[in-house]
Amino acid sequence: MNKGMNKGVNHEVYGEAHGEVNAELDIEVKLILEAIYLRYHYDFRDYAPTSLRRRLKASMQRFECPTLSMLQGQLLREPEVFRSVLRDLTVQVSEMFRDPEYFRALREQVVPVLRTYPSLKLWVAGCSSGEEAYSLAILMKEEGLLERTLIYATDISQEALTQAQAGVYRTDLVPGFTENHRLSGGKGSLSEHYTAAYDHILMDKSLKERIVFSDHSLSTDSVFAEVQLVSCRNVLIYFNRALQDRSIGLFSEALCRHGFLGLGARETIRFSAHADDFSEVAPHERIYQRRSPG
Ligand SMILES: C[S@@+](CC[C@H](N)C(=O)[O-])C[C@H]1O[C@@H](n2cnc3c(N)ncnc32)[C@H](O)[C@@H]1O
């Protein structure tokens, strides 16, 4: 292996042997994002640059491309290469009742208000392989609200949506899911909501029937329904300020009067142009309520 090479990425080409980030890399990142947009219509141009660079480097290593320009050439001509790069760019990490305190806050502070609506629409934006949507469906079932609830669960990754629609998860993940469910204030046992078979579990039909999984991009699409709750966690961290603003604007537009926005502890609307649209409900879990317009 050449000096400065690490499984294909030439760190010297990028002047990073000494920890610098160089101008050529920045230009190549812009070009590859433009190429992806023009060729495949996925818009990553307003994603946070540091995380983008890290993820593109992972793709360069996999395809043994010393430069991003070479990776760009490959993905333009080979959709299979693009699909793999897309997997790197859209971080597919999730779990059921992830950050249980968030679900506890929903249960204690949001559900009592949701209970007053005759019918409910919830939107899980950036649902990945479905764990967050199933968790919400379970919570609503435990609170006796599932029958009047429809959950829209959206993402840009078709692969993740297919997995979400199947509702199949590995058995070895279940102890973690079960502990999260317990910590979230779950009523009864998580096992009431799935059937186990060999090395996987299958989520209950009664949950699936209340969830619509669908392709939707916070970068390029608009609002599609009026909802009482938007849950969008671990998604905005990958966006730059402009795209965070666009997304929060969409949530604000989608929410009914006094509807709720849950972002989770890692994200905030504090610096957003839409911050004044909301008041805080659960400051640590970053759950907000839409103020009356005007
Ligand atoms: C880390 S996962 C979060 C999953 C889940 N919300 C959670 O907290 O466990 C981030 C998800 O955001 C999705 N995503 C990335 N960019 C998006 C966009 N522009 N519009 C909608 N979803 C996007 C990714 O495909 C991925 O499934």
Side-chain angles (χ1 to χ4, degrees):
M1 197 181 283
N2 292 344
K3 189 165 161 268
M5 297 277 276
N6 176 9
K7 272 205 203 150
V9 180
N10 190 335
H11 295 283
E12 283 187 349
V13 166
Y14 289 124
E16 290 176 321
H18 308 291
E20 310 143 38
V21 174
N22 77 10
E24 289 84 354
L25 176 61
D26 280 347
I27 292 168
E28 283 185 305
V29 170
K30 283 200 177 78
L31 292 174
I32 197 169
L33 298 181
E34 203 61 42
I36 289 173
Y37 181 61
L38 292 173
R39 173 76 173 83
Y40 298 103
H41 315 296
Y42 283 89
D43 192 353
F44 292 99
R45 295 173 299 178
D46 277 328
Y47 281 47
T50 315
S51 149
L52 265 180
R53 275 198 293 268
R54 203 170 46 243
R55 293 179 192 292
L56 286 170
K57 277 184 189 164
S59 300
M60 287 164 69
Q61 289 196 346
R62 181 148 354 91
F63 292 101
E64 303 196 358
C65 293
T67 64
L68 264 184
S69 300
M70 287 180 71
L71 182 67
Q72 178 179 320
Q74 279 199 31
L75 69 77
L76 277 177
R77 282 168 200 89
E78 299 171 48
E80 207 37 63
V81 172
F82 170 65
R83 270 193 286 279
S84 171
V85 173
L86 186 63
R87 236 170 270 138
D88 284 328
L89 290 178
T90 59
V91 182
Q92 301 304 333
V93 181
S94 192
E95 57 189 61
M96 274 206 210
F97 291 94
R98 180 180 191 179
D99 302 321
E101 321 76 54
Y102 174 78
F103 288 93
R104 185 179 280 278
L106 285 184
R107 202 184 284 275
E108 291 173 358
Q109 288 167 266
V110 175
V111 164
V113 181
L114 295 184
R115 207 178 277 295
T116 63
Y117 290 91
S119 72
L120 291 162
K121 289 192 179 121
L122 318 182
W123 177 16
V124 179
C127 66
S128 188
S129 34
E131 292 87 335
E132 187 177 351
Y134 286 111
S135 305
L136 260 185
I138 291 168
L139 188 157
M140 297 303 274
K141 189 168 186 179
E142 289 175 338
E143 297 296 332
L145 294 175
L146 187 61
E147 280 183 3
R148 57 172 124 151
T149 301
L150 188 61
I151 300 175
Y152 298 107
T154 60
D155 205 283
I156 54 168
S157 163
Q158 203 49 57
E159 263 180 23
L161 287 169
T162 303
Q163 214 185 323
Q165 183 71 60
V168 172
Y169 301 100
R170 293 197 329 259
T171 307
D172 61 302
L173 301 172
V174 173
F177 292 174
T178 305
E179 178 62 359
N180 282 353
H181 173 248
R182 190 185 67 74
L183 292 171
S184 78
K187 299 177 176 166
S189 161
L190 186 67
S191 62
E192 291 164 32
H193 304 285
Y194 61 79
T195 41
Y198 305 105
D199 55 356
H200 62 265
I201 59 165
L202 173 64
M203 299 316 292
D204 207 272
K205 194 163 157 262
S206 64
L207 307 173
K208 282 187 176 180
E209 281 170 355
R210 310 311 304 174
I211 310 174
V212 179
F213 289 103
S214 164
D215 187 8
H216 179 276
S217 170
L218 295 168
S219 318
T220 50
D221 291 326
S222 43
V223 166
F224 55 87
E226 185 182 73
V227 300
Q228 281 79 28
L229 166 70
V230 175
S231 187
C232 181
R233 300 187 307 145
N234 306 298
V235 179
L236 301 185
I237 34 169
Y238 300 108
F239 297 172
N240 70 12
R241 182 68 59 77
L243 186 50
Q244 288 178 351
D245 259 356
R246 180 185 201 276
S247 308
I248 293 166
L250 289 184
F251 302 151
S252 177
E253 204 184 321
L255 282 169
C256 67
R257 237 178 81 189
H258 304 316
F260 295 91
L261 170 63
L263 296 182
R266 289 176 203 86
E267 278 140 323
T268 177
I269 59 163
R270 199 177 318 146
F271 307 108
S272 158
H274 304 279
D276 291 341
D277 294 358
F278 296 93
S279 55
E280 267 183 354
V281 171
H284 184 260
E285 303 313 323
R286 306 276 157 74
I287 298 175
Y288 305 91
Q289 190 165 25
R290 180 84 170 86
R291 292 185 208 271
S292 302

mmCIF file of all heavy atoms in Angstrom, residues 84-116:
data_model
loop_
_atom_site.group_PDB
_atom_site.id
_atom_site.type_symbol
_atom_site.label_atom_id
_atom_site.label_comp_id
_atom_site.label_asym_id
_atom_site.label_seq_id
_atom_site.Cartn_x
_atom_site.Cartn_y
_atom_site.Cartn_z
ATOM 1 N N SER A 84 -25.160 1.822 -3.288
ATOM 2 C CA SER A 84 -24.283 1.598 -2.144
ATOM 3 C C SER A 84 -23.871 2.931 -1.490
ATOM 4 O O SER A 84 -23.851 3.060 -0.265
ATOM 5 C CB SER A 84 -23.053 0.816 -2.627
ATOM 6 O OG SER A 84 -22.117 0.759 -1.632
ATOM 7 N N VAL A 85 -23.587 3.933 -2.326
ATOM 8 C CA VAL A 85 -23.228 5.265 -1.797
ATOM 9 C C VAL A 85 -24.437 5.848 -1.042
ATOM 10 O O VAL A 85 -24.282 6.451 0.033
ATOM 11 C CB VAL A 85 -22.784 6.204 -2.948
ATOM 12 C CG1 VAL A 85 -22.585 7.632 -2.446
ATOM 13 C CG2 VAL A 85 -21.505 5.684 -3.601
ATOM 14 N N LEU A 86 -25.618 5.623 -1.583
ATOM 15 C CA LEU A 86 -26.840 6.121 -0.933
ATOM 16 C C LEU A 86 -26.976 5.520 0.472
ATOM 17 O O LEU A 86 -27.383 6.181 1.416
ATOM 18 C CB LEU A 86 -28.052 5.757 -1.799
ATOM 19 C CG LEU A 86 -29.393 6.327 -1.357
ATOM 20 C CD1 LEU A 86 -29.402 7.852 -1.411
ATOM 21 C CD2 LEU A 86 -30.539 5.784 -2.219
ATOM 22 N N ARG A 87 -26.599 4.249 0.564
ATOM 23 C CA ARG A 87 -26.642 3.580 1.880
ATOM 24 C C ARG A 87 -25.711 4.289 2.857
ATOM 25 O O ARG A 87 -26.017 4.433 4.038
ATOM 26 C CB ARG A 87 -26.206 2.122 1.707
ATOM 27 C CG ARG A 87 -27.241 1.133 2.210
ATOM 28 C CD ARG A 87 -26.886 -0.279 1.795
ATOM 29 N NE ARG A 87 -27.467 -0.623 0.513
ATOM 30 C CZ ARG A 87 -26.852 -1.293 -0.470
ATOM 31 N NH1 ARG A 87 -25.589 -1.689 -0.335
ATOM 32 N NH2 ARG A 87 -27.474 -1.570 -1.576
ATOM 33 N N ASP A 88 -24.559 4.738 2.363
ATOM 34 C CA ASP A 88 -23.622 5.460 3.246
ATOM 35 C C ASP A 88 -24.160 6.838 3.618
ATOM 36 O O ASP A 88 -23.991 7.300 4.738
ATOM 37 C CB ASP A 88 -22.257 5.642 2.554
ATOM 38 C CG ASP A 88 -21.450 4.353 2.551
ATOM 39 O OD1 ASP A 88 -21.591 3.574 3.507
ATOM 40 O OD2 ASP A 88 -20.695 4.141 1.583
ATOM 41 N N LEU A 89 -24.798 7.494 2.645
ATOM 42 C CA LEU A 89 -25.230 8.886 2.872
ATOM 43 C C LEU A 89 -26.469 8.979 3.757
ATOM 44 O O LEU A 89 -26.658 9.967 4.465
ATOM 45 C CB LEU A 89 -25.511 9.574 1.526
ATOM 46 C CG LEU A 89 -24.286 9.856 0.656
ATOM 47 C CD1 LEU A 89 -24.708 10.488 -0.667
ATOM 48 C CD2 LEU A 89 -23.290 10.769 1.353
ATOM 49 N N THR A 90 -27.314 7.962 3.700
ATOM 50 C CA THR A 90 -28.515 7.972 4.561
ATOM 51 C C THR A 90 -28.235 7.015 5.706
ATOM 52 O O THR A 90 -28.192 5.813 5.517
ATOM 53 C CB THR A 90 -29.748 7.474 3.782
ATOM 54 O OG1 THR A 90 -29.483 6.160 3.324
ATOM 55 C CG2 THR A 90 -30.088 8.372 2.621
ATOM 56 N N VAL A 91 -28.046 7.544 6.866
ATOM 57 C CA VAL A 91 -27.585 6.720 7.987
ATOM 58 C C VAL A 91 -28.755 5.909 8.534
ATOM 59 O O VAL A 91 -29.682 6.469 9.117
ATOM 60 C CB VAL A 91 -27.010 7.644 9.078
ATOM 61 C CG1 VAL A 91 -26.464 6.849 10.239
ATOM 62 C CG2 VAL A 91 -25.942 8.539 8.478
ATOM 63 N N GLN A 92 -28.714 4.600 8.320
ATOM 64 C CA GLN A 92 -29.850 3.757 8.711
ATOM 65 C C GLN A 92 -29.612 3.143 10.088
ATOM 66 O O GLN A 92 -29.299 1.971 10.214
ATOM 67 C CB GLN A 92 -30.081 2.662 7.672
ATOM 68 C CG GLN A 92 -30.360 3.176 6.269
ATOM 69 C CD GLN A 92 -31.545 4.129 6.206
ATOM 70 O OE1 GLN A 92 -32.452 4.055 7.029
ATOM 71 N NE2 GLN A 92 -31.519 5.048 5.268
ATOM 72 N N VAL A 93 -29.723 3.947 11.104
ATOM 73 C CA VAL A 93 -29.579 3.430 12.467
ATOM 74 C C VAL A 93 -30.858 3.769 13.211
ATOM 75 O O VAL A 93 -31.284 4.924 13.212
ATOM 76 C CB VAL A 93 -28.394 4.102 13.202
ATOM 77 C CG1 VAL A 93 -28.246 3.531 14.608
ATOM 78 C CG2 VAL A 93 -27.112 3.930 12.408
ATOM 79 N N SER A 94 -31.463 2.788 13.825
ATOM 80 C CA SER A 94 -32.659 3.062 14.621
ATOM 81 C C SER A 94 -32.863 1.933 15.609
ATOM 82 O O SER A 94 -32.185 0.908 15.536
ATOM 83 C CB SER A 94 -33.875 3.199 13.694
ATOM 84 O OG SER A 94 -34.957 3.740 14.416
ATOM 85 N N GLU A 95 -33.771 2.111 16.530
ATOM 86 C CA GLU A 95 -34.168 1.025 17.413
ATOM 87 C C GLU A 95 -35.546 1.343 17.977
ATOM 88 O O GLU A 95 -35.976 2.498 17.927
ATOM 89 C CB GLU A 95 -33.147 0.804 18.535
ATOM 90 C CG GLU A 95 -32.882 2.011 19.382
ATOM 91 C CD GLU A 95 -31.695 1.805 20.336
ATOM 92 O OE1 GLU A 95 -30.578 1.575 19.839
ATOM 93 O OE2 GLU A 95 -31.910 1.890 21.548
ATOM 94 N N MET A 96 -36.206 0.334 18.504
ATOM 95 C CA MET A 96 -37.531 0.589 19.064
ATOM 96 C C MET A 96 -37.427 1.328 20.384
ATOM 97 O O MET A 96 -36.544 1.037 21.183
ATOM 98 C CB MET A 96 -38.255 -0.727 19.251
ATOM 99 C CG MET A 96 -38.924 -1.055 17.990
ATOM 100 S SD MET A 96 -40.305 -2.076 18.168
ATOM 101 C CE MET A 96 -40.121 -2.834 16.577
ATOM 102 N N PHE A 97 -38.328 2.269 20.560
ATOM 103 C CA PHE A 97 -38.356 3.100 21.772
ATOM 104 C C PHE A 97 -36.965 3.673 22.069
ATOM 105 O O PHE A 97 -36.550 3.760 23.224
ATOM 106 C CB PHE A 97 -38.925 2.302 22.961
ATOM 107 C CG PHE A 97 -40.383 2.001 22.798
ATOM 108 C CD1 PHE A 97 -40.807 0.795 22.244
ATOM 109 C CD2 PHE A 97 -41.344 2.926 23.157
ATOM 110 C CE1 PHE A 97 -42.157 0.530 22.060
ATOM 111 C CE2 PHE A 97 -42.706 2.671 22.983
ATOM 112 C CZ PHE A 97 -43.100 1.462 22.441
ATOM 113 N N ARG A 98 -36.257 4.045 20.983
ATOM 114 C CA ARG A 98 -34.928 4.648 21.111
ATOM 115 C C ARG A 98 -35.053 5.915 21.957
ATOM 116 O O ARG A 98 -35.969 6.714 21.734
ATOM 117 C CB ARG A 98 -34.451 5.007 19.699
ATOM 118 C CG ARG A 98 -33.091 5.638 19.631
ATOM 119 C CD ARG A 98 -32.793 5.931 18.172
ATOM 120 N NE ARG A 98 -31.414 6.294 17.977
ATOM 121 C CZ ARG A 98 -30.888 6.589 16.784
ATOM 122 N NH1 ARG A 98 -31.633 6.570 15.705
ATOM 123 N NH2 ARG A 98 -29.626 6.906 16.672
ATOM 124 N N ASP A 99 -34.154 6.110 22.886
ATOM 125 C CA ASP A 99 -34.233 7.213 23.847
ATOM 126 C C ASP A 99 -35.592 7.162 24.560
ATOM 127 O O ASP A 99 -36.486 7.988 24.303
ATOM 128 C CB ASP A 99 -34.035 8.578 23.173
ATOM 129 C CG ASP A 99 -32.698 8.645 22.461
ATOM 130 O OD1 ASP A 99 -31.705 8.116 23.014
ATOM 131 O OD2 ASP A 99 -32.636 9.189 21.348
ATOM 132 N N PRO A 100 -35.753 6.183 25.459
ATOM 133 C CA PRO A 100 -37.067 5.923 26.059
ATOM 134 C C PRO A 100 -37.689 7.137 26.735
ATOM 135 O O PRO A 100 -38.920 7.262 26.764
ATOM 136 C CB PRO A 100 -36.776 4.834 27.103
ATOM 137 C CG PRO A 100 -35.420 4.330 26.834
ATOM 138 C CD PRO A 100 -34.709 5.273 25.921
ATOM 139 N N GLU A 101 -36.871 8.058 27.260
ATOM 140 C CA GLU A 101 -37.424 9.242 27.945
ATOM 141 C C GLU A 101 -38.280 10.069 26.989
ATOM 142 O O GLU A 101 -39.220 10.747 27.419
ATOM 143 C CB GLU A 101 -36.323 10.146 28.519
ATOM 144 C CG GLU A 101 -35.127 9.446 29.137
ATOM 145 C CD GLU A 101 -34.186 8.888 28.077
ATOM 146 O OE1 GLU A 101 -33.755 9.662 27.207
ATOM 147 O OE2 GLU A 101 -33.885 7.665 28.120
ATOM 148 N N TYR A 102 -37.925 10.042 25.700
ATOM 149 C CA TYR A 102 -38.705 10.774 24.702
ATOM 150 C C TYR A 102 -40.134 10.208 24.650
ATOM 151 O O TYR A 102 -41.115 10.966 24.669
ATOM 152 C CB TYR A 102 -38.014 10.652 23.340
ATOM 153 C CG TYR A 102 -38.787 11.234 22.175
ATOM 154 C CD1 TYR A 102 -38.819 12.609 21.952
ATOM 155 C CD2 TYR A 102 -39.477 10.399 21.290
ATOM 156 C CE1 TYR A 102 -39.526 13.137 20.872
ATOM 157 C CE2 TYR A 102 -40.178 10.920 20.214
ATOM 158 C CZ TYR A 102 -40.199 12.286 20.005
ATOM 159 O OH TYR A 102 -40.899 12.808 18.934
ATOM 160 N N PHE A 103 -40.231 8.885 24.609
ATOM 161 C CA PHE A 103 -41.560 8.264 24.532
ATOM 162 C C PHE A 103 -42.317 8.442 25.844
ATOM 163 O O PHE A 103 -43.531 8.573 25.850
ATOM 164 C CB PHE A 103 -41.424 6.782 24.148
ATOM 165 C CG PHE A 103 -41.028 6.611 22.707
ATOM 166 C CD1 PHE A 103 -39.692 6.496 22.350
ATOM 167 C CD2 PHE A 103 -41.980 6.638 21.698
ATOM 168 C CE1 PHE A 103 -39.316 6.388 21.027
ATOM 169 C CE2 PHE A 103 -41.616 6.527 20.372
ATOM 170 C CZ PHE A 103 -40.283 6.407 20.029
ATOM 171 N N ARG A 104 -41.570 8.457 26.954
ATOM 172 C CA ARG A 104 -42.212 8.706 28.251
ATOM 173 C C ARG A 104 -42.817 10.121 28.256
ATOM 174 O O ARG A 104 -43.948 10.331 28.679
ATOM 175 C CB ARG A 104 -41.190 8.553 29.385
ATOM 176 C CG ARG A 104 -41.802 8.668 30.759
ATOM 177 C CD ARG A 104 -40.752 8.474 31.836
ATOM 178 N NE ARG A 104 -40.433 7.086 32.079
ATOM 179 C CZ ARG A 104 -41.150 6.273 32.856
ATOM 180 N NH1 ARG A 104 -42.241 6.726 33.457
ATOM 181 N NH2 ARG A 104 -40.791 5.026 33.049
ATOM 182 N N ALA A 105 -42.060 11.086 27.727
ATOM 183 C CA ALA A 105 -42.565 12.468 27.669
ATOM 184 C C ALA A 105 -43.787 12.563 26.759
ATOM 185 O O ALA A 105 -44.762 13.258 27.071
ATOM 186 C CB ALA A 105 -41.461 13.415 27.202
ATOM 187 N N LEU A 106 -43.746 11.846 25.621
ATOM 188 C CA LEU A 106 -44.928 11.842 24.734
ATOM 189 C C LEU A 106 -46.136 11.297 25.478
ATOM 190 O O LEU A 106 -47.224 11.868 25.447
ATOM 191 C CB LEU A 106 -44.675 10.953 23.510
ATOM 192 C CG LEU A 106 -43.769 11.471 22.395
ATOM 193 C CD1 LEU A 106 -43.750 10.464 21.246
ATOM 194 C CD2 LEU A 106 -44.231 12.828 21.871
ATOM 195 N N ARG A 107 -45.897 10.169 26.163
ATOM 196 C CA ARG A 107 -46.989 9.504 26.876
ATOM 197 C C ARG A 107 -47.588 10.427 27.943
ATOM 198 O O ARG A 107 -48.790 10.556 28.076
ATOM 199 C CB ARG A 107 -46.440 8.234 27.538
ATOM 200 C CG ARG A 107 -47.471 7.192 27.857
ATOM 201 C CD ARG A 107 -46.818 6.030 28.591
ATOM 202 N NE ARG A 107 -46.045 5.124 27.763
ATOM 203 C CZ ARG A 107 -46.560 4.087 27.091
ATOM 204 N NH1 ARG A 107 -47.838 3.846 27.144
ATOM 205 N NH2 ARG A 107 -45.770 3.287 26.392
ATOM 206 N N GLU A 108 -46.703 11.105 28.685
ATOM 207 C CA GLU A 108 -47.181 11.874 29.841
ATOM 208 C C GLU A 108 -47.684 13.268 29.460
ATOM 209 O O GLU A 108 -48.632 13.770 30.055
ATOM 210 C CB GLU A 108 -46.060 11.990 30.889
ATOM 211 C CG GLU A 108 -45.778 10.631 31.529
ATOM 212 C CD GLU A 108 -44.576 10.625 32.451
ATOM 213 O OE1 GLU A 108 -43.905 11.679 32.584
ATOM 214 O OE2 GLU A 108 -44.290 9.557 33.022
ATOM 215 N N GLN A 109 -47.023 13.890 28.447
ATOM 216 C CA GLN A 109 -47.357 15.295 28.183
ATOM 217 C C GLN A 109 -48.134 15.539 26.891
ATOM 218 O O GLN A 109 -48.799 16.552 26.759
ATOM 219 C CB GLN A 109 -46.076 16.134 28.187
ATOM 220 C CG GLN A 109 -45.543 16.278 29.615
ATOM 221 C CD GLN A 109 -44.132 16.819 29.629
ATOM 222 O OE1 GLN A 109 -43.169 16.064 29.664
ATOM 223 N NE2 GLN A 109 -44.020 18.128 29.575
ATOM 224 N N VAL A 110 -48.012 14.616 25.945
ATOM 225 C CA VAL A 110 -48.652 14.854 24.645
ATOM 226 C C VAL A 110 -49.944 14.034 24.498
ATOM 227 O O VAL A 110 -50.966 14.556 24.050
ATOM 228 C CB VAL A 110 -47.653 14.538 23.498
ATOM 229 C CG1 VAL A 110 -48.322 14.649 22.143
ATOM 230 C CG2 VAL A 110 -46.444 15.473 23.588
ATOM 231 N N VAL A 111 -49.880 12.774 24.905
ATOM 232 C CA VAL A 111 -51.054 11.898 24.746
ATOM 233 C C VAL A 111 -52.326 12.471 25.391
ATOM 234 O O VAL A 111 -53.400 12.415 24.776
ATOM 235 C CB VAL A 111 -50.729 10.466 25.249
ATOM 236 C CG1 VAL A 111 -52.004 9.640 25.459
ATOM 237 C CG2 VAL A 111 -49.815 9.773 24.246
ATOM 238 N N PRO A 112 -52.256 13.081 26.592
ATOM 239 C CA PRO A 112 -53.490 13.631 27.168
ATOM 240 C C PRO A 112 -54.161 14.657 26.254
ATOM 241 O O PRO A 112 -55.390 14.733 26.197
ATOM 242 C CB PRO A 112 -53.016 14.295 28.475
ATOM 243 C CG PRO A 112 -51.768 13.546 28.826
ATOM 244 C CD PRO A 112 -51.121 13.179 27.527
ATOM 245 N N VAL A 113 -53.379 15.407 25.476
ATOM 246 C CA VAL A 113 -53.967 16.372 24.535
ATOM 247 C C VAL A 113 -54.478 15.630 23.292
ATOM 248 O O VAL A 113 -55.576 15.905 22.791
ATOM 249 C CB VAL A 113 -52.948 17.470 24.135
ATOM 250 C CG1 VAL A 113 -53.572 18.468 23.174
ATOM 251 C CG2 VAL A 113 -52.389 18.164 25.376
ATOM 252 N N LEU A 114 -53.675 14.671 22.791
ATOM 253 C CA LEU A 114 -54.094 13.917 21.595
ATOM 254 C C LEU A 114 -55.429 13.214 21.837
ATOM 255 O O LEU A 114 -56.257 13.080 20.937
ATOM 256 C CB LEU A 114 -53.020 12.880 21.212
ATOM 257 C CG LEU A 114 -51.660 13.427 20.759
ATOM 258 C CD1 LEU A 114 -50.744 12.289 20.314
ATOM 259 C CD2 LEU A 114 -51.801 14.454 19.633
ATOM 260 N N ARG A 115 -55.621 12.771 23.055
ATOM 261 C CA ARG A 115 -56.842 12.061 23.429
ATOM 262 C C ARG A 115 -58.111 12.885 23.144
ATOM 263 O O ARG A 115 -59.193 12.339 22.966
ATOM 264 C CB ARG A 115 -56.758 11.777 24.940
ATOM 265 C CG ARG A 115 -57.509 10.589 25.419
ATOM 266 C CD ARG A 115 -57.288 10.420 26.910
ATOM 267 N NE ARG A 115 -56.060 9.720 27.255
ATOM 268 C CZ ARG A 115 -55.789 8.463 26.961
ATOM 269 N NH1 ARG A 115 -56.662 7.748 26.313
ATOM 270 N NH2 ARG A 115 -54.639 7.917 27.304
ATOM 271 N N THR A 116 -57.958 14.220 23.088
ATOM 272 C CA THR A 116 -59.146 15.079 22.911
ATOM 273 C C THR A 116 -59.581 15.174 21.433
ATOM 274 O O THR A 116 -60.617 15.767 21.141
ATOM 275 C CB THR A 116 -58.867 16.522 23.425
ATOM 276 O OG1 THR A 116 -57.820 17.093 22.622
ATOM 277 C CG2 THR A 116 -58.427 16.524 24.880
#
